[in-house]
């Protein structure tokens, strides 16, 4: 299974993220090294929206709870969506 975490960042996100970005990236890279986080980043045209791809809903909630972006108000809302992947090497439910 795959789960998409969408972050909606505060209007002053770009000005404030430098204060905690290192901690946020450390958390993200640790999750990636454990195989929990597949990919993450901001949407290029919508710099105030971040998207992270996880393999478990429990991991997503733990990540959000520990994320310095949340604790410091850089994320104003978030949502998690189950993504039923069907094509590609990492697809959870391959369909040919």
């Amino acid at each position: 299974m795959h789960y998409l975490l969408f972050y909606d960042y505060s209007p002053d996100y770009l000005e404030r993220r430098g204060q905690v970005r290192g901690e946020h990236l450390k958390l993200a890279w640790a999750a990636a090294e454990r195989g929990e986080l597949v990919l993450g980043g901001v949407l290029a045209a919508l710099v105030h929206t971040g998207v992270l791809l996880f393999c478990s809903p429990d991991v997503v909630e733990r990540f959000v709870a520990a994320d310095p972006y949340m604790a410091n108000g850089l994320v104003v809302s978030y949502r998690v969506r189950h993504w039923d992947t069907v094509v590609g090497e990492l697809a959870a439910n391959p369909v040919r």
Side-chain angles (χ1 to χ4, degrees):
M1 299 287 178
H2 289 108
Y3 296 85
L4 292 169
L5 169 62
F6 293 91
Y7 272 168
D8 296 313
Y9 297 124
S10 66
D12 60 352
Y13 162 76
L14 288 176
E15 293 81 24
R16 295 181 43 221
R17 76 175 176 176
Q19 301 166 11
V20 292
R21 190 172 192 213
E23 295 174 53
H24 167 77
L25 291 173
K26 182 178 177 181
L27 177 71
W29 277 106
E33 290 166 2
R34 290 190 301 272
E36 299 167 348
L37 174 60
V38 180
L39 292 169
V42 297
L43 296 178
L46 303 170
V47 105
H48 288 87
T49 303
V51 181
L52 298 95
L53 172 60
F54 289 89
C55 296
S56 162
D58 297 334
V59 171
V60 175
E61 293 301 330
R62 284 195 309 269
F63 182 89
V64 169
D67 193 349
Y69 279 10
M70 289 295 295
N72 289 278
L74 293 172
V75 175
V76 294
S77 67
Y78 75 95
R79 59 202 172 284
V80 179
R81 297 292 310 267
H82 173 242
W83 187 22
D84 189 12
T85 53
V86 297
V87 176
E89 279 188 43
L90 299 177
N93 299 301
V95 176
R96 293 195 178 265

Coordinates of all heavy atoms in Angstrom, one line a residue:
M1 N 0.8 -1.2 0.0 CA 0.0 0.0 0.0 C 0.9 1.3 0.0 O 2.0 1.2 0.5 CB -0.9 0.0 1.2 CG -1.8 -1.1 1.4 SD -3.1 -0.9 0.2 CE -4.1 -2.4 0.5
H2 N 0.4 2.3 -0.6 CA 1.0 3.6 -0.5 C 0.1 4.6 0.0 O -1.1 4.6 -0.2 CB 1.5 3.9 -1.9 CG 2.6 3.1 -2.4 ND1 2.5 2.2 -3.4 CD2 3.9 3.1 -2.1 CE1 3.6 1.6 -3.6 NE2 4.5 2.1 -2.8
Y3 N 0.7 5.6 0.6 CA 0.0 6.7 1.2 C 0.6 8.0 0.9 O 1.8 8.2 1.1 CB -0.2 6.5 2.8 CG -0.9 5.3 3.1 CD1 -0.3 4.0 3.1 CD2 -2.3 5.3 3.3 CE1 -1.0 2.9 3.4 CE2 -3.0 4.2 3.5 CZ -2.4 2.9 3.5 OH -3.1 1.8 3.8
L4 N -0.1 9.0 0.4 CA 0.3 10.3 0.1 C 0.0 11.2 1.3 O -1.2 11.3 1.7 CB -0.3 10.8 -1.2 CG 0.1 10.1 -2.4 CD1 -0.7 10.5 -3.6 CD2 1.6 10.4 -2.8
L5 N 1.0 11.9 1.8 CA 0.8 13.0 2.8 C 0.9 14.3 2.1 O 1.9 14.6 1.4 CB 1.9 12.8 3.8 CG 2.0 14.0 4.8 CD1 0.8 14.2 5.7 CD2 3.2 13.8 5.7
F6 N -0.1 15.1 2.1 CA -0.1 16.4 1.6 C 0.0 17.4 2.7 O -0.8 17.4 3.7 CB -1.4 16.7 0.8 CG -1.6 15.9 -0.4 CD1 -2.2 14.7 -0.4 CD2 -1.1 16.3 -1.7 CE1 -2.4 13.9 -1.5 CE2 -1.3 15.5 -2.8 CZ -1.9 14.3 -2.7
Y7 N 1.0 18.3 2.6 CA 1.1 19.4 3.6 C 0.7 20.7 2.9 O 1.0 21.0 1.8 CB 2.6 19.6 4.0 CG 3.1 18.8 5.1 CD1 4.5 18.7 5.3 CD2 2.3 18.1 6.0 CE1 5.0 18.0 6.4 CE2 2.8 17.4 7.0 CZ 4.1 17.3 7.3 OH 4.6 16.6 8.3
D8 N -0.1 21.5 3.6 CA -0.4 22.9 3.2 C 0.4 23.8 4.1 O 0.2 23.8 5.3 CB -1.9 23.2 3.3 CG -2.7 22.3 2.4 OD1 -2.3 22.2 1.2 OD2 -3.7 21.7 2.8
Y9 N 1.4 24.5 3.5 CA 2.3 25.4 4.3 C 1.7 26.7 4.6 O 0.8 27.2 3.8 CB 3.6 25.5 3.6 CG 4.3 24.2 3.4 CD1 4.7 23.8 2.2 CD2 4.7 23.4 4.5 CE1 5.4 22.6 2.0 CE2 5.3 22.2 4.4 CZ 5.7 21.8 3.1 OH 6.4 20.6 2.9
S10 N 2.2 27.4 5.6 CA 1.8 28.7 6.0 C 2.2 29.7 4.9 O 3.1 29.5 4.2 CB 2.4 29.1 7.4 OG 3.8 29.2 7.2
P11 N 1.5 30.9 4.9 CA 1.9 31.9 3.9 C 3.3 32.4 4.0 O 3.9 32.7 3.0 CB 0.9 33.0 4.2 CG -0.3 32.4 4.8 CD 0.3 31.2 5.6
D12 N 3.9 32.3 5.2 CA 5.3 32.8 5.4 C 6.3 31.6 5.5 O 7.4 31.7 6.0 CB 5.4 33.6 6.7 CG 5.0 32.9 7.9 OD1 4.4 31.7 7.8 OD2 5.2 33.4 9.0
Y13 N 5.9 30.5 4.9 CA 6.7 29.3 4.9 C 8.1 29.5 4.4 O 9.1 29.1 5.0 CB 6.0 28.2 4.1 CG 6.8 27.0 3.6 CD1 7.2 26.0 4.5 CD2 7.3 26.9 2.3 CE1 8.0 25.0 4.1 CE2 8.0 25.9 1.9 CZ 8.4 24.9 2.8 OH 9.2 23.9 2.4
L14 N 8.2 30.1 3.2 CA 9.5 30.3 2.6 C 10.4 31.2 3.5 O 11.6 30.9 3.6 CB 9.4 31.0 1.2 CG 8.9 30.0 0.2 CD1 8.7 30.8 -1.1 CD2 9.7 28.8 0.0
E15 N 9.9 32.1 4.2 CA 10.7 33.0 5.1 C 11.1 32.3 6.3 O 12.2 32.6 6.9 CB 9.9 34.3 5.4 CG 9.6 35.2 4.3 CD 8.5 34.8 3.4 OE1 7.6 34.1 3.9 OE2 8.5 35.2 2.2
R16 N 10.3 31.4 6.8 CA 10.5 30.7 8.1 C 11.1 29.3 8.1 O 11.6 28.9 9.1 CB 9.2 30.7 8.9 CG 8.7 32.0 9.3 CD 7.4 32.0 10.1 NE 7.4 31.0 11.1 CZ 6.4 30.1 11.4 NH1 5.3 30.2 10.7 NH2 6.5 29.2 12.3
R17 N 11.1 28.7 6.9 CA 11.5 27.3 6.9 C 13.0 27.1 7.3 O 13.4 26.0 7.8 CB 11.2 26.6 5.6 CG 12.1 27.0 4.5 CD 11.8 26.2 3.2 NE 12.7 26.7 2.1 CZ 12.7 26.2 1.0 NH1 12.0 25.2 0.7 NH2 13.5 26.7 0.1
G18 N 13.8 28.1 7.0 CA 15.2 27.9 7.3 C 15.5 27.6 8.7 O 16.5 27.0 9.0
Q19 N 14.7 28.1 9.6 CA 14.9 27.9 11.0 C 14.8 26.4 11.4 O 15.5 26.0 12.4 CB 13.8 28.6 11.8 CG 13.8 30.1 11.6 CD 12.5 30.8 12.1 OE1 11.8 30.2 12.8 NE2 12.3 32.0 11.7
V20 N 14.0 25.6 10.7 CA 13.9 24.2 11.1 C 14.0 23.2 10.0 O 13.8 22.0 10.1 CB 12.5 24.0 11.8 CG1 12.4 24.7 13.1 CG2 11.3 24.4 10.9
R21 N 14.4 23.7 8.8 CA 14.5 22.8 7.6 C 15.5 21.7 7.8 O 15.2 20.5 7.5 CB 14.9 23.6 6.4 CG 14.8 22.8 5.1 CD 14.9 23.6 3.9 NE 14.5 22.9 2.7 CZ 15.1 23.0 1.5 NH1 16.1 23.8 1.4 NH2 14.7 22.3 0.5
G22 N 16.6 21.9 8.5 CA 17.6 20.9 8.8 C 17.0 19.8 9.6 O 17.2 18.6 9.3
E23 N 16.2 20.1 10.6 CA 15.6 19.1 11.5 C 14.5 18.3 10.7 O 14.4 17.1 10.8 CB 14.9 19.8 12.7 CG 15.9 20.4 13.6 CD 15.1 21.2 14.7 OE1 14.3 20.6 15.3 OE2 15.4 22.4 14.9
H24 N 13.8 19.0 9.8 CA 12.8 18.4 9.0 C 13.4 17.4 8.0 O 13.0 16.2 7.9 CB 12.0 19.4 8.3 CG 11.1 18.9 7.2 ND1 9.9 18.3 7.4 CD2 11.3 18.9 5.8 CE1 9.3 17.9 6.2 NE2 10.2 18.3 5.3
L25 N 14.5 17.8 7.4 CA 15.1 16.9 6.4 C 15.8 15.8 7.1 O 15.8 14.7 6.6 CB 16.2 17.7 5.6 CG 15.5 18.7 4.6 CD1 16.6 19.6 4.0 CD2 14.7 18.0 3.6
K26 N 16.3 16.0 8.3 CA 16.9 14.9 9.0 C 15.9 13.8 9.3 O 16.1 12.6 9.2 CB 17.6 15.4 10.3 CG 18.2 14.4 11.2 CD 18.9 15.0 12.4 CE 19.5 13.9 13.3 NZ 20.1 14.5 14.5
L27 N 14.7 14.2 9.8 CA 13.6 13.3 10.0 C 13.2 12.6 8.8 O 13.0 11.4 8.8 CB 12.4 14.1 10.6 CG 11.1 13.3 10.9 CD1 11.3 12.5 12.1 CD2 10.0 14.3 11.1
A28 N 13.1 13.3 7.7 CA 12.7 12.7 6.4 C 13.7 11.7 5.9 O 13.3 10.6 5.5 CB 12.4 13.8 5.4
W29 N 15.0 12.1 5.9 CA 16.0 11.1 5.4 C 16.1 9.9 6.3 O 16.3 8.8 5.8 CB 17.4 11.8 5.3 CG 17.5 12.6 4.1 CD1 17.4 14.0 3.9 CD2 17.7 12.0 2.8 NE1 17.6 14.3 2.6 CE2 17.7 13.1 1.8 CE3 17.8 10.7 2.3 CZ2 17.9 12.9 0.5 CZ3 18.0 10.6 0.9 CH2 18.0 11.6 0.0
A30 N 15.9 10.0 7.6 CA 15.9 8.9 8.5 C 14.7 7.9 8.2 O 14.9 6.7 8.1 CB 15.8 9.3 10.0
A31 N 13.6 8.5 7.9 CA 12.4 7.7 7.5 C 12.7 7.0 6.1 O 12.3 5.8 5.9 CB 11.2 8.6 7.4
A32 N 13.4 7.7 5.2 CA 13.7 7.1 3.9 C 14.7 6.0 4.1 O 14.6 4.9 3.5 CB 14.3 8.2 3.0
E33 N 15.7 6.2 5.0 CA 16.7 5.1 5.2 C 16.1 3.9 5.8 O 16.6 2.8 5.6 CB 17.8 5.7 6.0 CG 18.7 6.7 5.3 CD 19.6 7.5 6.1 OE1 19.6 7.3 7.4 OE2 20.3 8.4 5.6
R34 N 15.0 4.0 6.6 CA 14.3 2.9 7.2 C 13.3 2.2 6.2 O 12.7 1.3 6.5 CB 13.5 3.3 8.4 CG 14.4 3.7 9.6 CD 13.6 3.9 10.9 NE 12.5 4.9 10.7 CZ 12.7 6.2 11.0 NH1 13.9 6.7 11.4 NH2 11.8 7.1 10.8
G35 N 13.2 2.8 5.0 CA 12.3 2.3 4.0 C 10.8 2.7 4.2 O 9.9 2.2 3.6
E36 N 10.6 3.7 5.0 CA 9.2 4.2 5.3 C 8.8 5.2 4.4 O 7.6 5.3 4.0 CB 9.1 4.7 6.8 CG 9.5 3.6 7.8 CD 9.7 4.2 9.2 OE1 9.8 5.5 9.3 OE2 9.8 3.4 10.1
L37 N 9.7 6.1 4.0 CA 9.4 7.3 3.1 C 10.0 7.0 1.8 O 11.2 6.7 1.7 CB 9.9 8.6 3.7 CG 9.8 9.8 2.9 CD1 8.4 10.2 2.5 CD2 10.5 11.0 3.6
V38 N 9.2 7.0 0.7 CA 9.7 6.7 -0.6 C 10.2 7.9 -1.3 O 11.3 7.9 -1.8 CB 8.6 6.0 -1.5 CG1 9.1 5.7 -2.9 CG2 8.0 4.8 -0.8
L39 N 9.4 9.0 -1.3 CA 9.8 10.3 -1.9 C 9.1 11.4 -1.2 O 8.1 11.2 -0.5 CB 9.3 10.3 -3.4 CG 9.9 9.4 -4.4 CD1 9.1 9.4 -5.7 CD2 11.4 9.8 -4.7
G40 N 9.7 12.6 -1.3 CA 9.1 13.8 -0.7 C 9.6 15.0 -1.3 O 10.7 15.1 -1.8
G41 N 8.8 16.1 -1.3 CA 9.2 17.4 -1.8 C 8.0 18.3 -1.9 O 6.9 18.0 -1.6
V42 N 8.3 19.5 -2.4 CA 7.3 20.5 -2.7 C 6.8 20.4 -4.1 O 7.6 20.1 -5.0 CB 7.7 21.9 -2.3 CG1 8.0 22.0 -0.8 CG2 8.9 22.4 -3.1
L43 N 5.6 20.8 -4.4 CA 5.1 20.9 -5.8 C 5.7 22.2 -6.4 O 5.6 23.3 -5.8 CB 3.6 20.9 -5.8 CG 2.9 19.7 -5.3 CD1 1.4 19.9 -5.4 CD2 3.3 18.5 -6.1
A44 N 6.4 22.0 -7.5 CA 7.2 23.1 -8.1 C 6.3 24.4 -8.3 O 6.8 25.5 -7.9 CB 7.8 22.7 -9.4
A45 N 5.2 24.3 -8.9 CA 4.4 25.5 -9.1 C 3.6 25.9 -7.9 O 3.1 27.1 -7.9 CB 3.4 25.2 -10.3
L46 N 3.4 25.1 -7.0 CA 2.7 25.4 -5.7 C 3.6 25.2 -4.5 O 3.5 24.3 -3.8 CB 1.5 24.4 -5.6 CG 0.5 24.4 -6.8 CD1 -0.5 23.3 -6.6 CD2 -0.3 25.7 -6.8
V47 N 4.5 26.2 -4.4 CA 5.5 26.1 -3.4 C 5.0 25.9 -1.9 O 5.7 25.5 -1.0 CB 6.5 27.3 -3.5 CG1 6.3 28.3 -2.4 CG2 7.9 26.8 -3.6
H48 N 3.7 26.2 -1.8 CA 3.1 26.1 -0.4 C 2.4 24.7 -0.2 O 1.6 24.6 0.7 CB 2.1 27.2 -0.2 CG 2.9 28.5 0.0 ND1 3.2 29.3 -1.0 CD2 3.4 29.1 1.2 CE1 3.9 30.3 -0.5 NE2 4.0 30.2 0.8
T49 N 2.7 23.7 -1.1 CA 2.2 22.4 -0.9 C 3.3 21.4 -1.0 O 4.1 21.4 -2.0 CB 1.1 22.1 -2.0 OG1 0.1 23.1 -2.0 CG2 0.5 20.7 -1.9
G50 N 3.4 20.5 0.0 CA 4.4 19.5 0.0 C 3.7 18.1 -0.1 O 2.5 18.0 0.3
V51 N 4.4 17.2 -0.7 CA 3.8 15.8 -0.9 C 4.9 14.8 -0.5 O 6.0 14.9 -1.0 CB 3.4 15.6 -2.4 CG1 2.8 14.2 -2.5 CG2 2.4 16.7 -2.8
L52 N 4.5 13.9 0.3 CA 5.4 12.8 0.7 C 4.7 11.5 0.5 O 3.5 11.3 0.8 CB 5.8 13.0 2.2 CG 6.6 14.3 2.5 CD1 5.6 15.3 3.0 CD2 7.7 14.0 3.5
L53 N 5.5 10.5 0.0 CA 4.9 9.2 -0.3 C 5.5 8.2 0.7 O 6.7 8.0 0.8 CB 5.3 8.8 -1.7 CG 5.0 7.3 -2.2 CD1 3.6 7.0 -2.1 CD2 5.6 7.1 -3.6
F54 N 4.5 7.6 1.4 CA 4.9 6.6 2.5 C 4.3 5.2 2.1 O 3.4 5.1 1.3 CB 4.3 7.0 3.8 CG 5.0 8.2 4.4 CD1 4.6 9.5 4.1 CD2 6.0 8.0 5.3 CE1 5.2 10.6 4.7 CE2 6.7 9.1 5.9 CZ 6.2 10.4 5.6
C55 N 4.7 4.2 2.9 CA 4.2 2.8 2.7 C 3.3 2.4 3.7 O 2.8 1.2 3.7 CB 5.4 1.9 2.6 SG 6.5 2.2 1.1
S56 N 3.0 3.2 4.8 CA 2.2 2.7 5.9 C 1.5 4.0 6.5 O 2.1 5.0 6.7 CB 3.0 2.0 6.9 OG 2.3 2.0 8.1
P57 N 0.2 3.8 6.8 CA -0.5 5.0 7.4 C 0.0 5.3 8.8 O 0.0 6.4 9.2 CB -2.0 4.5 7.4 CG -1.9 3.0 7.4 CD -0.7 2.7 6.6
D58 N 0.4 4.2 9.5 CA 0.9 4.4 10.9 C 2.2 5.3 10.9 O 2.4 6.1 11.7 CB 1.2 3.1 11.6 CG -0.1 2.3 11.8 OD1 -1.2 2.9 11.9 OD2 0.1 1.0 11.8
V59 N 3.0 5.0 9.9 CA 4.3 5.7 9.7 C 4.0 7.2 9.4 O 4.7 8.1 9.9 CB 5.2 5.1 8.6 CG1 6.4 5.9 8.3 CG2 5.6 3.7 9.1
V60 N 3.0 7.4 8.6 CA 2.7 8.8 8.2 C 2.3 9.6 9.5 O 2.8 10.7 9.7 CB 1.5 8.9 7.2 CG1 1.1 10.3 7.0 CG2 1.8 8.2 5.9
E61 N 1.4 9.1 10.3 CA 1.0 9.8 11.5 C 2.2 10.0 12.5 O 2.2 11.1 13.1 CB -0.1 9.0 12.2 CG -1.4 9.0 11.4 CD -2.0 10.4 11.0 OE1 -1.8 11.4 11.8 OE2 -2.6 10.5 10.0
R62 N 3.1 9.0 12.6 CA 4.2 9.2 13.5 C 5.1 10.3 12.9 O 5.7 11.1 13.7 CB 5.0 7.9 13.7 CG 4.4 6.9 14.6 CD 5.3 5.8 15.0 NE 6.0 5.1 13.9 CZ 5.5 4.1 13.3 NH1 4.3 3.6 13.7 NH2 6.2 3.5 12.3
F63 N 5.3 10.3 11.6 CA 6.1 11.4 11.0 C 5.5 12.7 11.2 O 6.3 13.7 11.6 CB 6.2 11.1 9.5 CG 7.1 12.1 8.7 CD1 8.4 11.8 8.6 CD2 6.6 13.2 8.2 CE1 9.3 12.7 7.9 CE2 7.4 14.1 7.5 CZ 8.7 13.9 7.4
V64 N 4.3 12.9 11.0 CA 3.6 14.2 11.2 C 3.8 14.7 12.6 O 4.1 15.8 12.9 CB 2.1 14.1 10.8 CG1 1.4 15.4 11.3 CG2 2.0 13.9 9.3
A65 N 3.6 13.8 13.6 CA 3.7 14.1 15.0 C 5.1 14.6 15.4 O 5.2 15.4 16.3 CB 3.2 12.9 15.9
A66 N 6.1 14.0 14.7 CA 7.5 14.3 15.1 C 8.1 15.5 14.2 O 9.1 16.0 14.5 CB 8.3 13.1 14.9
D67 N 7.3 15.9 13.2 CA 7.9 16.9 12.2 C 8.0 18.3 12.8 O 7.0 18.8 13.2 CB 7.0 16.9 11.0 CG 7.7 17.6 9.8 OD1 8.7 18.3 10.0 OD2 7.2 17.5 8.7
P68 N 9.2 18.9 12.8 CA 9.4 20.2 13.3 C 8.6 21.2 12.5 O 8.2 22.3 13.0 CB 10.9 20.5 13.2 CG 11.5 19.3 12.7 CD 10.4 18.2 12.4
Y69 N 8.2 21.0 11.2 CA 7.4 21.9 10.5 C 6.0 22.0 11.1 O 5.4 23.0 11.2 CB 7.2 21.4 9.0 CG 8.4 21.7 8.1 CD1 9.6 22.2 8.5 CD2 8.2 21.5 6.7 CE1 10.6 22.6 7.7 CE2 9.2 21.8 5.8 CZ 10.4 22.4 6.3 OH 11.4 22.7 5.4
M70 N 5.5 20.9 11.6 CA 4.2 20.9 12.4 C 4.3 21.7 13.7 O 3.5 22.5 14.0 CB 3.7 19.5 12.6 CG 3.2 18.7 11.4 SD 1.8 19.4 10.6 CE 0.6 19.2 11.9
A71 N 5.3 21.3 14.4 CA 5.5 21.9 15.8 C 5.7 23.4 15.7 O 5.4 24.1 16.7 CB 6.7 21.2 16.5
N72 N 6.3 23.9 14.6 CA 6.6 25.3 14.5 C 5.6 26.1 13.6 O 5.9 27.2 13.3 CB 8.0 25.5 14.0 CG 9.0 25.1 15.0 OD1 9.4 25.9 15.9 ND2 9.5 23.9 15.0
G73 N 4.5 25.4 13.3 CA 3.4 26.1 12.6 C 3.7 26.4 11.1 O 2.9 27.2 10.5
L74 N 4.6 25.7 10.5 CA 4.9 25.9 9.1 C 3.8 25.1 8.3 O 3.5 25.5 7.1 CB 6.3 25.4 8.7 CG 7.4 26.3 9.3 CD1 8.7 25.6 9.0 CD2 7.3 27.7 8.7
V75 N 3.2 24.1 8.9 CA 2.2 23.3 8.2 C 0.9 23.8 8.9 O 0.7 23.7 10.1 CB 2.4 21.8 8.4 CG1 1.2 21.0 7.9 CG2 3.7 21.3 7.8
V76 N 0.0 24.3 8.1 CA -1.3 24.8 8.6 C -2.4 23.7 8.5 O -3.4 23.7 9.2 CB -1.8 26.1 7.9 CG1 -0.8 27.2 8.2 CG2 -1.9 25.9 6.4
S77 N -2.2 22.8 7.6 CA -3.1 21.6 7.5 C -2.5 20.5 6.7 O -1.5 20.7 6.0 CB -4.5 22.0 6.8 OG -4.3 22.3 5.5
Y78 N -2.9 19.3 6.9 CA -2.4 18.2 6.2 C -3.5 17.1 6.0 O -4.5 17.2 6.6 CB -1.2 17.5 6.9 CG -1.6 16.7 8.1 CD1 -1.7 15.3 8.0 CD2 -1.7 17.3 9.3 CE1 -2.1 14.5 9.1 CE2 -2.0 16.5 10.5 CZ -2.2 15.1 10.3 OH -2.5 14.4 11.4
R79 N -3.3 16.3 5.0 CA -4.3 15.2 4.7 C -3.5 14.0 4.2 O -2.4 14.2 3.6 CB -5.4 15.6 3.8 CG -4.9 16.1 2.4 CD -5.9 17.0 1.7 NE -5.4 17.6 0.5 CZ -4.6 18.6 0.5 NH1 -4.1 19.2 1.6 NH2 -4.2 19.1 -0.7
V80 N -4.0 12.8 4.5 CA -3.4 11.6 4.1 C -4.4 10.9 3.1 O -5.5 10.8 3.5 CB -3.0 10.7 5.3 CG1 -2.4 9.4 4.8 CG2 -2.1 11.4 6.2
R81 N -3.9 10.5 2.0 CA -4.7 9.8 1.0 C -4.1 8.4 0.7 O -2.9 8.3 0.4 CB -4.9 10.6 -0.3 CG -5.5 11.9 -0.1 CD -7.0 11.8 0.2 NE -7.7 10.9 -0.6 CZ -8.4 11.3 -1.7 NH1 -8.4 12.5 -2.1 NH2 -9.0 10.4 -2.5
H82 N -4.9 7.4 0.8 CA -4.5 6.0 0.3 C -4.3 6.1 -1.2 O -5.2 6.6 -1.9 CB -5.5 5.0 0.7 CG -5.2 3.6 0.2 ND1 -6.0 3.0 -0.7 CD2 -4.1 2.8 0.3 CE1 -5.5 1.8 -1.0 NE2 -4.3 1.7 -0.5
W83 N -3.2 5.6 -1.7 CA -3.0 5.6 -3.1 C -2.8 4.2 -3.6 O -1.9 3.5 -3.2 CB -1.7 6.4 -3.4 CG -1.4 6.7 -4.9 CD1 -2.3 6.6 -5.9 CD2 -0.1 7.0 -5.5 NE1 -1.6 6.9 -7.1 CE2 -0.3 7.1 -6.8 CE3 1.1 7.2 -4.9 CZ2 0.7 7.5 -7.7 CZ3 2.2 7.5 -5.8 CH2 1.9 7.7 -7.1
D84 N -3.8 3.7 -4.4 CA -3.7 2.3 -4.9 C -2.9 2.3 -6.1 O -3.3 2.5 -7.2 CB -5.2 1.8 -5.1 CG -5.2 0.4 -5.4 OD1 -4.2 -0.3 -5.2 OD2 -6.3 -0.1 -5.9
T85 N -1.6 2.0 -5.9 CA -0.6 2.0 -7.0 C -0.7 0.7 -7.8 O -0.8 -0.4 -7.2 CB 0.8 2.2 -6.5 OG1 1.1 1.3 -5.5 CG2 1.0 3.6 -6.0
V86 N -0.8 0.8 -9.1 CA -1.0 -0.4 -10.0 C 0.1 -0.6 -11.1 O 0.1 -1.7 -11.7 CB -2.4 -0.4 -10.6 CG1 -3.5 -0.5 -9.5 CG2 -2.6 0.8 -11.5
V87 N 0.9 0.4 -11.3 CA 1.9 0.3 -12.4 C 3.3 0.7 -11.8 O 3.4 1.7 -11.1 CB 1.5 1.2 -13.6 CG1 2.6 1.1 -14.6 CG2 0.2 0.7 -14.2
G88 N 4.3 -0.1 -12.2 CA 5.6 0.3 -11.8 C 6.2 -0.8 -10.8 O 5.5 -1.6 -10.3
E89 N 7.5 -0.8 -10.7 CA 8.2 -1.8 -9.9 C 7.7 -1.7 -8.4 O 7.7 -2.8 -7.8 CB 9.7 -1.5 -9.9 CG 10.4 -2.1 -11.1 CD 11.9 -2.0 -11.0 OE1 12.4 -2.3 -9.9 OE2 12.5 -1.6 -12.0
L90 N 7.4 -0.6 -7.9 CA 7.0 -0.5 -6.5 C 5.5 -0.5 -6.3 O 5.0 -0.3 -5.2 CB 7.6 0.8 -5.9 CG 9.1 1.0 -5.9 CD1 9.5 2.3 -5.4 CD2 9.7 -0.1 -5.1
A91 N 4.7 -0.8 -7.4 CA 3.3 -0.9 -7.3 C 2.9 -1.9 -6.2 O 3.4 -3.0 -6.1 CB 2.7 -1.2 -8.6
A92 N 1.9 -1.5 -5.4 CA 1.4 -2.3 -4.3 C 0.5 -3.4 -4.9 O 0.5 -4.5 -4.4 CB 0.7 -1.5 -3.3
N93 N -0.3 -3.1 -5.9 CA -1.2 -4.0 -6.5 C -1.0 -4.0 -8.1 O -1.9 -3.4 -8.8 CB -2.6 -3.6 -6.2 CG -2.9 -3.7 -4.7 OD1 -2.7 -4.7 -4.1 ND2 -3.2 -2.6 -4.1
P94 N 0.1 -4.6 -8.6 CA 0.3 -4.5 -10.0 C -0.8 -5.1 -10.9 O -1.4 -6.1 -10.5 CB 1.6 -5.4 -10.2 CG 2.2 -5.5 -8.8 CD 1.0 -5.4 -7.8
V95 N -1.2 -4.3 -11.9 CA -2.2 -4.8 -12.8 C -1.5 -4.6 -14.2 O -1.1 -3.6 -14.6 CB -3.4 -3.9 -12.8 CG1 -4.4 -4.3 -13.8 CG2 -4.1 -4.0 -11.4
R96 N -1.6 -5.7 -15.0 CA -1.0 -5.7 -16.3 C -2.1 -5.9 -17.4 O -3.0 -6.7 -17.2 CB 0.1 -6.7 -16.5 CG 1.3 -6.4 -15.6 CD 2.5 -7.2 -16.0 NE 3.6 -6.9 -15.2 CZ 4.6 -6.0 -15.6 NH1 4.5 -5.4 -16.7 NH2 5.6 -5.7 -14.8

